[in-house]
Amino acid sequence: MYFDSEEIYNKVDKMRLDRGWSIYYLANLAGVSENTLYSWRDRNSSPTLYLIEGLATAFGISPIALLLKEEDIVAIQEEHKELFERWNGL
C-alpha cells in the first residue's frame, strides 16, 4: 500500500480547518513545531511516524485512520474495525 504525503497533508488540513484550528494550535496539540507542519506542506516531504502519531492523537483518531483514504476505511472488514477501535482506546 502506498501513502501519498500530499493526500495525507490535505486530509489533515481539512480536518484542521473543519475544527477552526490554526496551524499553531494543531502543532501544539500534536507536540510538534509549526515549522514541522510548514515543512511537510511546502517541501511535500513524508511525515514521520512521530508526526503521524501526534496528529492522530490531536484529532482523537488512530494513526491508521489518518493514513488511509476514506474508501479504504470503508472497505476494511468488521473484525479489523473492531481492532482499530480497540487501538484507539489504548
Side-chain angles (χ1 to χ4, degrees):
M1 179 176 286
Y2 172 75
F3 298 108
D4 184 323
S5 179
E6 186 176 359
E7 268 185 39
I8 298 167
Y9 180 83
N10 290 337
K11 182 177 183 177
V12 166
D13 205 42
K14 181 179 180 331
M15 291 189 320
R16 175 184 71 81
L17 293 171
D18 287 348
R19 288 166 174 76
W21 296 351
S22 67
I23 288 181
Y24 174 79
Y25 186 76
L26 175 57
N28 281 331
L29 285 177
V32 299
S33 71
E34 284 178 273
N35 286 339
T36 299
L37 297 177
Y38 286 126
S39 177
W40 178 24
R41 179 193 67 194
D42 297 340
R43 296 184 184 159
N44 196 25
S45 60
S46 296
T48 64
L49 182 56
Y50 176 78
L51 177 57
I52 293 296
E53 288 177 328
L55 291 168
T57 298
F59 289 118
I61 60 175
S62 71
I64 197 72
L66 190 60
L67 294 172
L68 292 178
K69 296 176 186 176
E70 200 64 37
E71 59 269 16
D72 292 335
I73 293 172
V74 171
I76 295 174
Q77 298 173 358
E78 266 317 300
E79 63 188 69
H80 293 137
K81 287 183 184 178
E82 183 179 335
L83 288 174
F84 291 146
E85 289 170 6
R86 288 184 184 183
W87 172 266
N88 279 335
L90 296 177

